[in-house]
Amino acid sequence: MIKCGRPCKGEELLSRDRVLDSALQLFLEHGYGNLSMETIARDAHVSLRTIYRHFDGKAGLFGALIRRCTDQFIGSLSEDCSMEEALIAFGRQFLFRITRPNVLRIRAILIGESQQFPDLATQFYEQGPSRTLEQLTEFFARHQQAGRIRNIEPDFLADQFISVLRGERLQRLQLGLEAPPEESDIEVWVAKTTSLFLEGCLAR
């Protein structure tokens, strides 16, 4: 029997994930500017119409990849544990995700091609760093209202926490000067940096 109309929700989610998986590998292989939407559609075994319906173009597709990565650590900012435990859990996920070789390669593509494709930079920042900072800002604001954090702008705290987590290490990784850290190394790094950070902002 020939099916008419839109696919069911489960099928749409499967095709969306398939497009994202294909796009990630193709972006890594070809970069951004040299990759056509037709190539992505062919590799993912979907129509161009399907891609445009889900992502509204190549920049939106790239942004969806960044959002999928960001989702993996934003959700770890739990309210069911202490502030320090929540920040450590977030920091572990954050550092692990951004130091993987594929993510470092995507960042290199972004840096190399964002001048030629401004929408690429916009999608990356809105779906990645901006969402992360927004969630952290809200997290610090809630703990500030509860009296746990000193009267420091929550958005400033969010920016500083991300900066202390990444440190100079991210630049060395991006330049290929050291290997991606193991999870055990990340755990030690995050515990130390979180403890140091909280020393400067906890309410006395």
Side-chain angles (χ1 to χ4, degrees):
M1 180 186 299
I2 297 175
K3 294 183 179 180
C4 299
R6 293 172 64 89
C8 68
K9 187 175 181 180
E11 291 175 345
E12 284 199 346
L13 290 174
L14 285 173
S15 66
R16 190 178 190 277
D17 286 340
R18 190 164 64 247
V19 170
L20 287 172
D21 291 339
S22 291
L24 175 59
Q25 293 307 314
L26 291 170
F27 279 133
L28 292 170
E29 292 173 20
H30 303 285
Y32 183 82
N34 293 328
L35 180 61
S36 71
M37 293 289 280
E38 289 80 5
T39 300
I40 298 171
R42 186 166 56 250
D43 190 80
H45 304 291
V46 299
S47 67
L48 272 176
R49 181 181 178 183
T50 295
I51 297 181
Y52 279 102
R53 186 175 71 243
H54 284 305
F55 306 105
D56 196 32
K58 189 161 61 170
L61 178 54
F62 189 90
L65 281 171
I66 302 304
R67 188 180 185 91
R68 185 166 71 169
C69 178
T70 306
D71 285 344
Q72 293 171 326
F73 51 78
I74 279 184
S76 60
L77 275 173
S78 173
E79 298 294 331
D80 299 328
C81 56
S82 71
M83 180 172 55
E84 183 172 11
E85 289 171 334
L87 288 175
I88 288 175
F90 165 84
R92 287 175 178 171
Q93 286 293 322
F94 174 76
L95 271 190
F96 181 78
R97 299 298 174 188
I98 71 168
T99 58
R100 296 310 91 194
N102 282 355
V103 176
L104 292 171
R105 173 64 181 145
I106 287 291
R107 285 178 60 88
I109 291 170
L110 169 75
I111 292 168
E113 303 195 46
S114 59
Q115 291 295 318
Q116 185 178 358
F117 303 100
D119 286 349
L120 177 62
T122 300
Q123 284 288 334
F124 172 83
Y125 197 79
E126 287 181 353
Q127 302 301 333
S130 182
R131 286 184 71 221
T132 304
L133 289 171
E134 181 180 338
Q135 292 293 320
L136 276 171
T137 296
E138 293 175 0
F139 175 85
F140 285 125
R142 289 194 297 271
H143 284 279
Q144 194 172 64
Q145 291 168 2
R148 303 184 187 98
I149 295 285
R150 291 165 51 196
N151 188 24
I152 304 171
E153 296 89 342
D155 57 338
F156 177 77
L157 290 174
D159 183 75
Q160 293 303 302
F161 185 61
I162 288 294
S163 296
V164 76
L165 280 176
R166 291 182 305 198
E168 187 66 13
R169 166 172 278 178
L170 184 62
Q171 179 162 256
R172 293 196 300 271
L173 287 166
Q174 194 72 68
L175 293 171
L177 298 178
E178 65 177 74
E182 300 290 338
E183 288 190 63
S184 57
D185 184 32
I186 288 174
E187 288 180 7
V188 173
W189 176 262
V190 170
K192 286 181 178 178
T193 55
T194 301
S195 177
L196 179 62
F197 173 82
L198 289 176
E199 281 294 321
C201 63
L202 284 178
R204 303 299 181 188

